[in-house]
Structure formats: C-alpha cells, structure tokens
Amino acid sequence: MRLHDFFRSPGLSVLILAACAATALSAAPTCYAGEGTPSALLGNPMPDFKLSDFAGVEHTLARYHGGKGVVLIFVSTKCPVSNAYNERMIELAAEYQPKGFQFLGINANKMEDPAEMASHAKGHGWNFPVLKDSGNAYADKVAASVTPEVYLVDAAGILRYHGRIDDSQDPSGVKTRDLKAALDALITGQEIAKRESKAFGCTIKRG
C-alpha cells in the first residue's frame, strides 16, 4: 500500500483507508489510489481486444464502433470500492446506453472466475456485459491498475477519457462526476474539459 498516494487526494483518504481496512479483514484485494495512468493512450486509438463474457460469448472493442462510444470499466467481484459503485455503474449504463454508448465491464482479477462473475453480475442486476480478461493481458496492454477504472472510447475508437467514475466512494460525498461530464461532452460535440483523473480502488490482482 502506498500511503503517500492517499494524501495527494485528501477527500478520498479516509474512505479508501476504511475500505482497505475492511478488505484486509475479508482477504479481498489490497486497495490504493492508482498511479502510472496511461496518459500516452489519450487521443490515440484504444487497443482492440477479444474477450469473452461469462456465457462464453466473445466480444471485441471494434464490434462496438459506430455508436456514440464505449465505456470500459475494470471491475471486481470482491473489491469493496468497485462494489460501492455497482449502483452508479448501472444507473450510468441505463442513462447512456439508450443514447448510443455501450458499457462493458472487464474483470482482470486472477482469482475471480466466470462463474463468480456471473453470480455477482446477476445478483447486482448489472445491465451490461462483463468480460473476463484472463491473464490480465488487456489490463497490462492499457496499464489498468485498479477497480473501478474507466476508459471512455469515442465512436472512432479513440480514447477520450481515462480515470475515475466520480470523486467519492460514498455517493453522498460526490462533488465531481467526471465520467458523466465526459459522456455529456461527447454527446454535444464539445471538448472534454477533464480528460484524465486519478482512478482509485483495489489493485488488479494479476496472474
């Protein structure tokens, strides 16, 4: 755990530390505020993938080109931070999928298998596919480090936003809705004011 990272974001420190304490008791993944964000990808084509959902159906990023865009969210079944965002992810997908954006969850944690993913997704009523990144190959390719972590890709396959969903694990403490602002900017054809933010959550457990 990199404690100095927490103090770079004072409003997040207490919440993330509390989540990490709960994680330690439950043997879930370690938490930290992500670093080494893939800034070099911003404004460039997002790498394609071939990943299967828990039913074994293969998905590619290119398959979803042509709409308004694609929202990729690295997620976890065990991470308390990722789980704190379940309802918000569902609400965002319900609002923006009818407007032409495809939401896709990606699970790259080595100990979370498709059966567990299926149970988790159905239990929480997720309204978008969740794909398994076996061996965390795609997470490595795009330098994903935590759950949840967002990559917003436009209709042409260009990465337009990377980072957090919003600025607080606790819904009552949210002041900045970074992903929503980026989605609204794409819809209206405006420049995204904040193209990158600091993702925070549990580390992706790699194989």
Side-chain angles (χ1 to χ4, degrees):
M1 184 186 296
R2 300 173 182 268
L3 291 177
H4 66 279
D5 287 337
F6 294 126
F7 297 103
R8 294 176 186 170
S9 303
L12 301 176
S13 303
V14 174
L15 290 173
I16 300 176
L17 285 168
C20 290
T23 295
L25 294 174
S26 63
T30 304
C31 299
Y32 81 128
E35 63 178 322
T37 53
S39 301
L41 283 174
L42 282 167
N44 293 301
M46 188 71 173
D48 202 0
F49 56 71
K50 290 184 179 180
L51 301 175
S52 296
D53 60 29
F54 49 72
V57 177
E58 187 176 86
H59 298 249
T60 65
L61 182 59
R63 165 184 174 181
Y64 297 104
H65 290 171
K68 289 291 185 181
V70 182
V71 179
L72 303 176
I73 310 177
F74 283 85
V75 296
S76 168
T77 64
K78 294 183 175 72
C79 172
V81 185
S82 183
N83 281 323
Y85 278 91
N86 286 336
E87 186 173 337
R88 276 171 279 181
M89 290 187 284
I90 291 167
E91 289 174 350
L92 284 165
E95 180 177 357
Y96 287 97
Q97 287 190 143
K99 297 177 181 179
F101 290 94
Q102 175 65 50
F103 279 61
L104 296 171
I106 299 178
N107 187 311
N109 281 326
K110 65 178 181 179
M111 298 302 291
E112 299 175 11
D113 61 27
E116 183 177 344
M117 289 164 48
S119 176
H120 181 269
K122 292 174 182 176
H124 289 282
W126 281 11
N127 51 358
F128 52 88
V130 185
L131 315 179
K132 184 61 185 176
D133 180 19
S134 297
N136 47 265
Y138 193 67
D140 288 350
K141 184 177 290 187
V142 300
S145 58
V146 299
T147 57
E149 185 167 351
V150 177
Y151 295 74
L152 172 58
V153 183
D154 68 15
I158 305 299
L159 180 63
R160 300 292 300 278
Y161 169 79
H162 164 258
R164 65 195 184 190
I165 295 172
D166 57 41
D167 65 342
S168 177
Q169 178 184 341
D170 181 354
S172 66
V174 174
K175 296 179 180 178
T176 305
R177 293 174 171 80
D178 307 85
L179 175 56
K180 182 175 176 60
L183 287 164
D184 288 340
L186 280 187
I187 288 174
T188 58
Q190 299 177 349
E191 287 294 320
I192 296 173
K194 188 174 185 179
R195 299 197 309 153
E196 189 165 35
S197 62
K198 193 173 187 64
F200 60 93
C202 306
T203 56
I204 293 173
K205 292 303 180 186
R206 287 168 155 81

